[in-house]
Amino acid sequence: MATLVKTFMPTERTFIAIKPDGVQRGLIGEILGRFERKGFKLIGLKQLIPSRDLAEQHYGVHRDRPFFKGLVDFITSGPVIAMVWEGDGVVASARRLIGATKPLESEPGTIRGDLAVNIGRNVIHGSDGLETANFEINLWFESTELNDWHPADQIWRVED
């Protein structure tokens, strides 16, 4: 006789942000849909206009580069959709979904390849590794803003 067994697979998390150009161009649903269709689980979502302090911390690795001020000015120029996605291999897979930083180098079918205009208006940000993802998630979200839930179709499996 088959019995149902509750199973939960350990997964990783990544930080994704739809930048002001993506929000203002009405691309939120398109981008969310691509992550959902890939099979990732959305566990954190909010809209905000980032403070300069948040933006400077987020882009802190670029602080000494000439484009730092422009990055901060742009990301604080309008609403951003901040998200945390969870799933097996989500960091690397999200990077592939997003495409190359320079839209002209992004493959068709990627978010940037299909939707972005230029490097300064490339629609979306995604963590580039697990360590960065953890830093960015903790920077943008309080732990109480993340929802740990399990899709009904993934909770149960049948064992003989």
Side-chain angles (χ1 to χ4, degrees), residues 53-130:
D53 181 57
L54 174 60
E56 288 173 356
Q57 288 182 63
H58 179 81
Y59 288 122
V61 297
H62 303 299
R63 186 171 304 280
D64 296 328
R65 298 209 170 145
F67 55 83
F68 176 74
K69 183 182 180 316
L71 286 174
V72 171
D73 288 346
F74 175 62
I75 202 76
T76 60
S77 70
V80 168
I81 302 298
M83 300 172 280
V84 178
W85 289 90
E86 186 176 83
D88 294 333
V90 71
V91 174
S93 195
R95 297 293 291 180
R96 284 191 295 279
L97 275 174
I98 290 169
T101 302
K102 296 178 183 177
L104 291 176
E105 296 174 3
S106 287
E107 294 293 323
T110 65
I111 293 168
R112 288 179 177 150
D114 293 348
L115 305 173
V117 178
N118 61 47
I119 193 169
R121 301 292 179 264
N122 64 7
V123 179
I124 190 169
H125 165 83
S127 301
D128 62 5
L130 281 173

Side-chain angles (χ1 to χ4, degrees), residues 32-63:
L32 284 170
R34 289 186 186 212
F35 282 88
E36 288 181 324
R37 285 190 300 276
K38 184 70 177 173
F40 297 127
K41 180 173 68 171
L42 183 63
I43 63 165
L45 172 74
K46 62 182 172 182
Q47 178 180 353
L48 70 155
I49 298 175
S51 67
R52 287 199 75 76
D53 181 57
L54 174 60
E56 288 173 356
Q57 288 182 63
H58 179 81
Y59 288 122
V61 297
H62 303 299
R63 186 171 304 280

